[in-house]
Amino acid sequence: MSQIEEEVAVPDEGASLAEALARSQSLERQLTDAPGRHRVLTGDRPTGPLHLGHYFGTLENRVRLQAAGVEVFVLVADYQTITDRHSPATLPTDVETLLADYLAVGIDPERATIFAHSQVLALNQLVLPFLSLVSVQEISRNPTVKDEVKAAGLSSMSGLMFSYPVHQAADILFCKATVVPVGKDQLPHIELTRTIARRFNSRYGNPPAEPFPLPDALLSDAPLLLGMDGQKMSKSRSNSIPIRATQDDTAKLIAGARTDSVRHITYEPATRPEVANLLLLGALCLGRQPQEMADEVGAGGGAALTRCD
């Protein structure tokens, strides 16, 4: 049995989440007190237009960190478009429109570093040594990859999809990021990245100097936004409101959103998720509270809720 295989253990998910939350809270304080000490890595695959879920989930936070003086690296993950799909002929245009979305929301290339996989060959070369540092068992425990396979409607998992978390580790460690803004579902990626960094530093480092810092997850408290069909808002599900949508297009999408049969509008996320989602979306856009929005619509019903005047 190899040293790597001996280190494989089933993690205590509750303890791992508690530790991640504690580190995230500490990170938030550090980013406020000493923003120049940290480097953030974040990014997106150019597989379609960014939507409001992206904006309230990550983009708004990137702009906040950039404005606070944190060094922000934004990755255009063009190589990773073939993880779960064929490389499209539209990829060059998709990259350009992704950049346009970044600029539109306020990411400033004068204060943030925007780069693509295809522009940095050294990043991709890290994948090979990183794969030697983890076992098949460790990678296969990552639930996020299985969820992405299911969401993409794939009948089987390719070798590239299976090793996707290792490529993400290369993204993070290449630029020596210390902070990675993620949701709770992405924590397994960060933990695997930390494992790879520790093992690389142990095998190839020259103490006390270490090639890679151990990155921490900055957990987002942004609410999960549902798409217009009541499922998670996603580019692959075609149920989102793109950031670049016109006013008329946005109105049409909201008008077609799923609600329910109860006439009186109330904010009850547990029992009326589709209605609560529209109230939350409106509240986020207007800087108000969902309950306040619900009280305002009241007996107007779903027609009033989905009407954009």
Side-chain angles (χ1 to χ4, degrees), residues 29-177:
R29 292 191 294 269
Q30 293 175 38
L31 291 170
T32 300
D33 297 339
R37 293 178 55 190
H38 288 281
R39 177 178 291 176
V40 170
L41 184 282
T42 184
D44 305 276
R45 292 193 300 164
T47 54
L50 298 180
H51 52 68
L52 291 186
H54 292 119
Y55 180 75
F56 291 113
T58 63
L59 298 174
E60 188 177 41
N61 198 35
R62 296 176 196 179
V63 175
R64 176 183 72 90
L65 293 170
Q66 169 191 270
V70 181
E71 189 175 16
V72 177
F73 278 63
V74 183
L75 169 65
V76 177
D78 52 352
Y79 274 179
Q80 289 176 355
T81 58
I82 61 172
T83 301
D84 57 0
R85 66 198 70 207
H86 296 297
S87 182
T90 60
L91 183 57
T93 301
D94 292 340
V95 170
E96 291 175 358
T97 52
L98 177 61
L99 291 173
D101 283 346
Y102 284 161
L103 298 177
V105 301
I107 295 176
D108 184 356
E110 294 294 327
R111 293 186 290 171
T113 300
I114 306 174
F115 68 101
H117 275 147
S118 57
Q119 294 177 316
V120 188
L121 296 180
L123 185 163
N124 301 286
Q125 290 172 337
L126 282 175
V127 176
L128 187 61
F130 283 2
L131 281 170
S132 74
L133 297 171
V134 290
S135 69
V136 170
Q137 293 95 323
E138 286 172 304
I139 300 176
S140 64
R141 285 205 310 268
N142 190 315
T144 309
V145 173
K146 297 175 184 177
D147 291 343
E148 289 171 349
V149 169
K150 182 178 180 181
L154 301 178
S155 58
S156 62
M157 184 184 300
S158 69
L160 181 58
M161 173 63 86
F162 183 75
S163 61
Y164 182 43
V166 180
H167 201 171
Q168 286 196 318
D171 298 338
I172 297 166
L173 298 178
F174 160 78
C175 63
K176 300 189 176 183

Side-chain angles (χ1 to χ4, degrees), residues 8 66 206 221:
V8 175
Q66 169 191 270
N206 184 20
D221 58 0

